[in-house]
């Protein structure tokens, strides 16, 4: 039965899915008994069991063993779902047929639940009329504690005057509206009042009568307590009244449900609520007011402190329907969330707020007060400076005489500095601790990141808090309102280079912002072991100097400090000093030469390099083309090159760039290799060119035109060798070539500049 307790649209529809009444009304046409006129009423095994349980309870009570009826949730015993049918309702006293059953048109809310009974389905209701619809008769004799719920939506004009039929004005507002009543078997009418009451009034039969009017905005469920109404042949009537002032869409009813017991939840609200407090000792009092159409059984306070587990405590009943309980003291900075729930004697519950615990809860914070009136000194602050000065007032609860709350003592303050970028994103924050124990020091000098950033500052107090047992702890108060400023702060933006090796000398470039460097008024300092010379001011924001690092200067970062007549600027982390042994180098190039018109793969080997993450590139000069480059590891890569026809012969410096490192290594270009002969291939065949010979007889012997298998060197396609035939070729020098053992062969190569020069052989 929990679903029916929610006063929301569609709540009765939940009941429609499982409505098997335990004690069916066996009168003719009782829909709850039959589920349709075709089905007969039969007692189910569950019904027989429930009757037996009640009989046993009666016997036990009569014997003095028990005095309480067994708890049982109320059941729906009669349900009219107008989406399925008209429910047997009919118009009476409705000559203009204002009441109609069907699908509404022209109002999206009214049409959202299908077929309904309505005061006009497709137009505004008629003015100056009254109309009634009546249900089939039924019996209430078996249900002395019955309740009823209707699901309805209304858009009715509430305006008009309370005027009798003879024109006499009674005063007050009587608009259009609708109400409900019961007609008993003797013809007597019994007005019905919803649990929450009607919200307007109408003139009906020259009497001011309470009614529904205005606009409900959505489908709602209204409950009616029928306790004390009994009898057979009872009928429900819905009455609608309109005056001649104006009209609207009307009254729409989707369902009517009768229950054999109480389903109306209690009414509950919180009239005394804890507010934000600096009292960490507690307790925090909560007072609720609860009422019910029958009787409130209990009210429970549920609370959660600091996002922890929900705790429950029973509230104590007091006079006037008031229920009281308290929440124990909490630590500063704790948010306490809570709600109350009332339960009646029939187990119906209602929470406050109504959507708790799944929705909104009430809440308050236990906190220590923040400082006030935080501002810059002077105000407004300067536009160009290295730092700013803040000033504030004590927390308001403190006044000017110091902290006055029992058990809590202000000690000192903290400044919270937050840095925002131009997009409003937090890029940094810090806490400036005071911790001097002086609660009268209400100023602080703070640093600023400066443009393009915006600096925000807040202040909070630190307190010593004492609990009921005399134990003390440190606690932080709430943050003050923030103040912000975008300051032009002179600072060093960059140094180039950012790192150097021991024993090296280089030119250091210092680039700053919002500075006013003047030649002769600037001093650069990097500490012991780094000598500075030749300082030159290039502009108001730039200067250069030669720095020389000693061989034994400590490895690590060195702060770079610029001193001027107005201020000192320090750049952190500064210049990185690196051990010479860690300096990246190219240690080997293999081979270290290429011939003109030759393609060749060259392998480079390094030390302390990072070729995988810092992909290398190689410049062999314009007359040598780089065809491909493949990185093998952090210390090795291979380059395929081709020397062009006009490549300059001789030694050259090849440049390798990897990340921020640049290396130069020696490399040689050799002439194109001449065509030479070599000892015969005794096999008599050349697998590449093939071999053939043409012998021509001459007066002096024979000439041999041959693509010779013994010719070595760079031969081009279609190139032939003309030589005299020498039958003793194997094992001897081939005519036309250099003798065996001549210097036409190799040479010694070096991969590094500074090593002995190459000794080129005769080619």
């Amino acid at each position: 039965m929990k679903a029916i307790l929610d006063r929301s649209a569609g709540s009765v529809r939940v009941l429609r899915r499982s409505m098997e009444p335990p004690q069916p009304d066996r009168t003719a046409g009782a829909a709850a008994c039959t589920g349709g006129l075709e089905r007969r009423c039969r007692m189910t095994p569950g019904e027989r069991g429930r009757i037996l349980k009640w009989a046993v309870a009666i016997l036990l009570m009569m014997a003095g063993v028990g005095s309480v009826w067994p708890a049982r949730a109320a059941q729906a015993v009669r349900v009219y779902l107008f989406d399925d049918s008209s429910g047997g309702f009919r118009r009476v006293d409705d000559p203009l047929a204002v009441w109609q059953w069907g699908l509404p048109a022209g109002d999206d809310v009214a049409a959202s639940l299908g077929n309904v009974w309505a005061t006009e389905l497709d137009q505004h209701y008629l003015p100056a009329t009254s109309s009634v619809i009546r249900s089939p008769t039924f019996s209430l004799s078996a249900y002395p504690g019955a309740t009823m719920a209707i699901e309805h939506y209304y858009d009715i004009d509430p305006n008009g005057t309370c005027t009798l039929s003879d024109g006499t004005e009674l005063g007050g507002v009587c608009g259009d509206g609708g109400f409900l009543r019961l007609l008993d078997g003797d013809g007597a009418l019994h007005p019905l009042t919803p649990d929450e009451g009607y919200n307007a009034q109408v003139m009906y039969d020259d009497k001011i009568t309470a009614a529904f009017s205005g606009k409900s905005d959505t489908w709602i469920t209204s409950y009616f307590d029928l306790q004390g109404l009994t009898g057979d042949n009872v009928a429900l009537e819905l009455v609608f009244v309109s005056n001649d002032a104006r009209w609207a869409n009307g009254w729409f009813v989707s369902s009517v449900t009768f229950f054999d017991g109480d389903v109306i939840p209690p009414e509950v609200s919180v009239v005394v609520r804890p507010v934000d407090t600096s009292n960490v000792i507690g307790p925090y009092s909560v007072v609720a007011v609860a009422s019910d159409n029958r009787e409130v059984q209990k009210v429970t306070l549920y609370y959660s402190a600091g996002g922890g587990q929900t705790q429950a405590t029973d509230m104590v009943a007091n006079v006037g329907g008031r229920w009281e309980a308290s929440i124990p003291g909490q630590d500063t900075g704790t948010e306490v969330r809570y709600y109350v729930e009332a339960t009646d004697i029939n187990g119906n519950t209602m929470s406050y707020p109504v959507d708790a615990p799944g929705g909104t809860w009430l809440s308050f914070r236990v906190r220590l007060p923040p400082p006030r009136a935080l501002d810059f000194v002077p105000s407004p602050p300067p536009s160009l400076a290295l730092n700013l000065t803040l000033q504030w007032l004590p927390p308001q609860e403190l006044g000017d005489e110091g902290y006055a709350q029992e058990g809590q003592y202000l000690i000192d303050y903290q400044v919270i500095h937050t840095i925002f970028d131009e997009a409003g994103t937090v890029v940094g924050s810090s806490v400036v601790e005071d911790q001097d124990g002086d609660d009268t020091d209400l100023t602080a000098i703070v640093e600023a990141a400066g443009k393009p950033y915006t600096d925000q500052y807040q202040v909070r107090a630190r307190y010593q808090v004492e609990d009921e047992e005399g134990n003390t702890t440190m606690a932080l108060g709430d943050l003050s309102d923030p103040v912000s400023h975008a300051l032009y702060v002179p600072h060093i933006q960059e140094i180039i280079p950012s790192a150097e090796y021991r024993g090296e000398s280089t030119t250091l470039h210092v680039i700053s912002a919002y500075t006013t460097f003047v030649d002769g008024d600037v001093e650069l300092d990097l500490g012991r072991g780094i000598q500075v010379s030749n300082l030159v001011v290039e502009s108001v924001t730039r200067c250069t100097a030669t720095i020389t690092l000693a061989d034994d200067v400590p490895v690590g970062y060195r702060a770079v400090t610029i001193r001027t007549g107005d201020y000192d600027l320090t750049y952190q982390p500064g210049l990185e000093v690196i051990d010479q042994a860690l300096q990246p180098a190219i240690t080997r190039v293999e081979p270290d030469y290429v011939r003109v018109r030759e393609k060749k793969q060259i392998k480079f080997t390094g030390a302390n390099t990072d070729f995988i993450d810092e992909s290398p590139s190689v410049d062999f000069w314009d007359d040598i083309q780089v065809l491909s480059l493949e990185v093998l590891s952090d210390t090795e890569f291979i380059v395929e090159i081709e020397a062009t026809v006009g490549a300059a012969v001789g030694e050259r410096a090849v440049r390798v760039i990897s990340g921020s490192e640049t290396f130069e290594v020696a490399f040689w270009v050799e002439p194109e290799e001449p065509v030479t002969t070599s000892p015969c291939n005794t096999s008599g065949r050349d697998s590449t060119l093939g071999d053939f010979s043409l012998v021509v007889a001459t007066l002096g012997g024979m000439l041999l035109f041959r693509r010779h298998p013994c010719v070595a060197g760079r031969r081009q396609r279609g190139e032939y060798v003309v030589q005299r035939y020498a039958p003793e070729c194997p094992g001897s020098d081939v005519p036309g070539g250099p003798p065996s053992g001549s210097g036409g062969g190799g040479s010694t190569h070096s991969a590094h500049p500074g090593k002995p020069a190459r000794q080129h052989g005769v080619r």
Side-chain angles (χ1 to χ4, degrees), residues 689-694 704-708 720:
L689 300 174
D691 64 286
F692 66 91
S693 60
L694 176 63
L704 174 63
F705 291 86
R706 186 178 190 188
R707 172 170 278 177
H708 201 279
Y720 296 96

Side-chain angles (χ1 to χ4, degrees), residues 107-111 151-156 215-220 249-254:
D107 189 309
D108 293 339
V109 176
E151 187 177 22
H152 62 133
Y153 158 71
Y154 50 85
D155 178 10
I156 304 172
K215 189 169 184 178
S216 64
D217 293 325
T218 187
W219 288 95
I220 62 173
N249 287 335
W251 191 15
F252 306 86
V253 182
S254 174

Side-chain angles (χ1 to χ4, degrees), residues 143-204:
Y143 316 119
T147 52
M148 179 186 70
I150 70 165
E151 187 177 22
H152 62 133
Y153 158 71
Y154 50 85
D155 178 10
I156 304 172
D157 177 37
N159 300 296
T161 59
C162 299
T163 305
L164 298 176
S165 57
D166 62 5
T168 303
E169 292 189 3
L170 302 179
V173 177
C174 293
D176 306 335
F179 59 91
L180 292 85
R181 64 191 182 189
L182 280 181
L183 174 68
D184 65 22
D186 298 328
L189 293 172
H190 304 272
L192 299 179
T193 302
D195 181 58
E196 71 275 15
Y198 290 109
N199 63 349
Q201 55 188 17
V202 298
M203 287 296 300
Y204 183 70

Side-chain angles (χ1 to χ4, degrees), residues 508-736:
L508 183 70
H509 298 262
V510 179
I511 303 169
S512 65
Y514 312 124
T515 54
T516 54
F517 292 162
V518 177
D519 198 11
D521 189 34
V522 176
E523 179 184 344
L524 176 62
D525 183 11
L526 286 87
R528 293 181 59 184
I530 302 180
Q531 182 180 352
V532 179
S533 60
N534 303 324
L535 191 148
V536 176
V537 173
E538 297 181 339
S539 69
V540 294
T541 58
R542 292 173 177 261
C543 65
T544 62
T546 301
I547 60 172
T548 302
L549 283 69
D551 293 337
D552 59 351
V553 63
V555 172
Y557 284 96
R558 280 298 187 90
V560 178
T561 301
I562 290 283
R563 296 189 179 91
T564 71
D566 297 324
Y567 41 74
D568 293 351
L569 305 179
T570 300
Y571 181 71
Q572 298 285 4
L575 178 75
E576 184 180 11
V577 178
I578 306 175
D579 192 338
Q580 187 74 30
L582 300 178
Q583 186 169 5
I586 301 295
T587 60
R588 186 176 182 85
V589 180
E590 185 181 13
D592 61 354
Y593 74 97
V594 68
R595 296 185 185 277
V596 175
R597 301 178 66 180
E598 181 183 21
K599 286 184 180 179
K600 183 172 286 188
Q601 286 189 338
I602 311 298
K603 182 177 181 181
F604 288 79
T605 302
N608 301 319
T609 52
D610 189 12
F611 293 146
I612 291 179
D613 292 335
E614 299 178 347
S615 300
S617 63
V618 186
D619 183 5
F620 285 89
W621 298 9
D622 294 341
D623 52 3
I624 297 180
Q625 298 179 359
V626 176
L627 304 179
S628 64
L629 187 151
E630 179 184 2
V631 176
L632 304 179
S633 68
D634 278 337
T635 58
E636 292 182 325
F637 67 90
I638 291 178
V639 179
E640 184 177 14
I641 62 173
E642 181 177 13
T644 62
V645 175
V649 175
E651 184 178 359
R652 64 179 64 193
V654 172
R655 178 171 295 178
V656 178
I657 299 176
S658 175
S660 61
E661 300 290 343
T662 300
F663 313 95
E664 287 190 353
V665 295
F667 194 77
W668 284 265
V669 177
E670 297 185 354
E672 183 178 8
E673 186 174 14
V675 177
T676 61
T677 60
S678 63
C680 286
N681 183 343
T682 55
S683 68
R685 300 190 59 84
D686 186 327
S687 61
T688 302
L689 300 174
D691 64 286
F692 66 91
S693 60
L694 176 63
V695 179
V696 180
T698 66
L699 293 177
M702 292 182 291
L703 288 178
L704 174 63
F705 291 86
R706 186 178 190 188
R707 172 170 278 177
H708 201 279
C710 300
V711 175
R714 293 174 56 85
R715 293 179 293 182
Q716 304 298 318
R717 182 174 297 177
E719 180 179 329
Y720 296 96
V721 176
V722 180
Q723 58 188 25
R724 290 195 177 274
Y725 178 68
E728 68 277 17
C729 179
S732 65
D733 294 332
V734 178

Side-chain angles (χ1 to χ4, degrees), residues 4 60 98 120 122 154 191 211 240 309 375 412 442 462 502 504 531 546 604 609 663 693 720 745:
I4 195 171
L60 290 173
V98 173
E120 299 287 351
D122 55 2
Y154 50 85
F240 183 76
Q309 185 175 0
D375 203 354
D412 47 34
L442 305 179
R462 293 198 315 137
R502 284 174 161 179
E504 297 289 335
Q531 182 180 352
T546 301
F604 288 79
T609 52
F663 313 95
S693 60
Y720 296 96

